[in-house]
Amino acid sequence: MSKIANSFQEAQQAFLILKQQSNRDRTTFLEEIANQIELLKEELIPMAAKESNLPEGRITGELGRTVGQIRLFAGLVKEGSWVEAVIDHEDSERKPVPKPDIRRMLRPLGPVVVFGASNFPLAFSTAGGDTISALASGCPVLYKAHPAHPETSRMVAKAIQTAVGICQMPEGTFQHIEGGIDTGQELAAHPLAKAVAFTGSFKGGKALFDTCNKREIPIPVYAEMGSVNPIFVLEAYLSENLESAATAYANSLVLGVGQFCTNPGLIFVPKSHEAAFSSQVISQLKTVAGAPMLHEGICKTYHEALKNLAISEKLEWLLTTEANQLLIGNPSLAKVKASDWLNEEAFQEEVFGPFAIMVVYDSIAELEEVAVQLKGQLTCTVWGTSTELSGNKTFLNLLEERCGRLLFKGVPTGVEVGHAMQHGGPYPSTTDSRSTSVGSFAIKRFARPIAYQDTPEVLLLEELKDENPLQILRKVDGEYLR
Ligand code: NAP
């Protein structure tokens, strides 16, 4: 039996135990993972910073976010209502046929394969949102380590294994698997895998999606891939807020050397204010010192993407950068007319790094055309005065079709981890726009509803017992009750 087949056997055995555990067991386990990661802080922060080239301050923040989201899921599991319990009591008197007793709730799927991201060595990696939401739902995880931060990944994996030991969870609850593309493909194709979660490139995510759809039994793939996160700036708003809008935009574009999935790589500005706005943005970008990117491969890809775009005669370059320093990603900015943008698909592609295309538009009608043609995005942002927003509902209505999160203030970078967050938009930003990879709804990806009909009381799970021992919110005979 191959090593991976063996890992799946262990994961499956673990699953049969995990799915019978109480909310209390699972909560304690998640809390212990958070504690173990915090205990590692002193060694983990410098290691993640070294392997990712990200500053220690950023990694410190990311560690806080990572343990914060683990505790969010611990709280979610402890509270228990996420399982969407619904009870329809029987009615033996109903005519012409008696009504059966049906009780439905979400149950864990089984072993889940998680691919971590290079740009978040902690929060979207080994103990990141995908792993933790799968564990929270009761699924064992086979984690494919990202080669960009191997030691960080091993350290976090060890922390999870320690938590497994302390909480006496079954051995196959979490497994850390190292290898390349072949390993990733074998994991996704294995018959015991029940779902895949991924964050990374469109190419990688799409390849895994295709593999999983070609399986004898296809499985869901929750891949979070590329996005250019357009910001649409309306005229009156820009005339009132030119300076602050330029500063906010420039800061967001260069945050983390532009290596965020929510990086705003497209900005639409009205022709009337384009010159003043672009000159402000350029002067802000010129003050940004070039910083190292995650790894040489990502930096090389950044410069190659800029070189490919430079072939286009439609783009006017406002700020250029040279690929003369290994690892360093300097900001870069190009300009195009909206009518030209509409005719060139390449202007919609994600360039991973601090690069943006400024699209100059003539009218709202042109923006409506853009909204129709725009590919699926994680986020879309509209900066407008309240009069402009309420007067352009057709545009907003079209734009809503294209994104998972619609912002009317601030910038898309900085994804709040909470109950209402939606981090996942229409294809190709993700492979399943009905799901999120950030926030508590992420747990639902790894569960499926089961209806239990006329089940004897002794067999009912606590969530479905009449006395509601967990005091969770349930829909009972059509009414929400706790
Ligand atoms: P990636 O190349 O997609 O790799 C992510 C993970 O998936 C790695 O573990 C990789 O394994 C695996 N993988 C890639 N292709 C695969 C395939 N065909 N079959 C099975 N497994 C596969 O992403 P990355 O290394 O993090 O960054 C590369 C590019 O992805 C960036 O330049 C950027 O464009 C994009 N990116 C996007 C986001 C986002 O949030 N949307 C985040 C990070 C990066 P191996 O590395 O071992 O081959």
Side-chain angles (χ1 to χ4, degrees), residues 6 142 199 253 384 465:
N6 210 28
L142 294 101
T199 305
L253 184 66
K465 284 187 191 297

Side-chain angles (χ1 to χ4, degrees), residues 1-11 142 175 177-178 182-192:
M1 196 188 287
S2 78
K3 215 170 146 211
I4 284 179
N6 210 28
S7 299
F8 271 106
Q9 288 298 339
E10 275 188 39
L142 294 101
Q175 298 178 73
I177 294 166
E178 296 186 47
D182 292 349
T183 305
Q185 286 288 331
E186 191 180 343
L187 284 165
H190 195 280
L192 286 174

Side-chain angles (χ1 to χ4, degrees), residues 18-19 21-27 29-31 33 69-78 80 82-83 106-109 112 128-141 169 173 439-440 442-447 463:
L18 290 175
K19 72 197 270 266
Q21 286 184 333
S22 69
N23 286 358
R24 206 176 325 105
D25 294 332
R26 217 174 286 162
T27 305
F29 173 49
L30 293 173
E31 283 168 350
I33 295 175
Q69 74 189 359
I70 298 173
R71 291 187 175 128
L72 177 92
F73 281 106
L76 187 79
V77 172
K78 188 175 182 184
W82 76 271
V83 297
L106 296 177
R107 297 288 287 145
L109 278 181
V112 171
D130 286 338
T131 296
I132 295 301
S133 53
L135 292 175
S137 74
C139 296
V141 168
M169 303 299 275
T173 300
S440 58
I443 196 172
K444 312 254 179 176
R445 297 173 298 168
F446 307 116
E463 288 85 346

Side-chain angles (χ1 to χ4, degrees), residues 115-120 124 144-148 179-186 188 198-208 211 224-227 259-262 294-295 297-299 301-302 350-352 378 423 429:
F115 292 79
S118 57
N119 58 343
F120 279 90
F124 281 79
K144 155 69 174 74
H146 199 292
I181 286 182
D182 292 349
T183 305
Q185 286 288 331
E186 191 180 343
F198 168 96
T199 305
S201 64
F202 173 78
K203 199 169 158 224
K206 179 68 167 55
L208 288 164
T211 297
E224 195 252 89
M225 309 179 289
S227 191
Q259 300 162 114
F260 286 120
C261 45
T262 49
L294 291 162
H295 56 77
I298 282 200
C299 189
T301 310
Y302 174 57
E350 180 188 48
V351 174
F352 201 63
L378 292 172
H423 189 62
S429 67

Side-chain angles (χ1 to χ4, degrees), residues 11 112 235 237 283 296 319 331 346 355 358 388 461:
V112 171
E235 195 165 9
Y237 177 91
S283 59
E296 281 177 21
L319 188 64
F355 166 72
M358 190 177 289
E388 282 177 315
L461 291 157

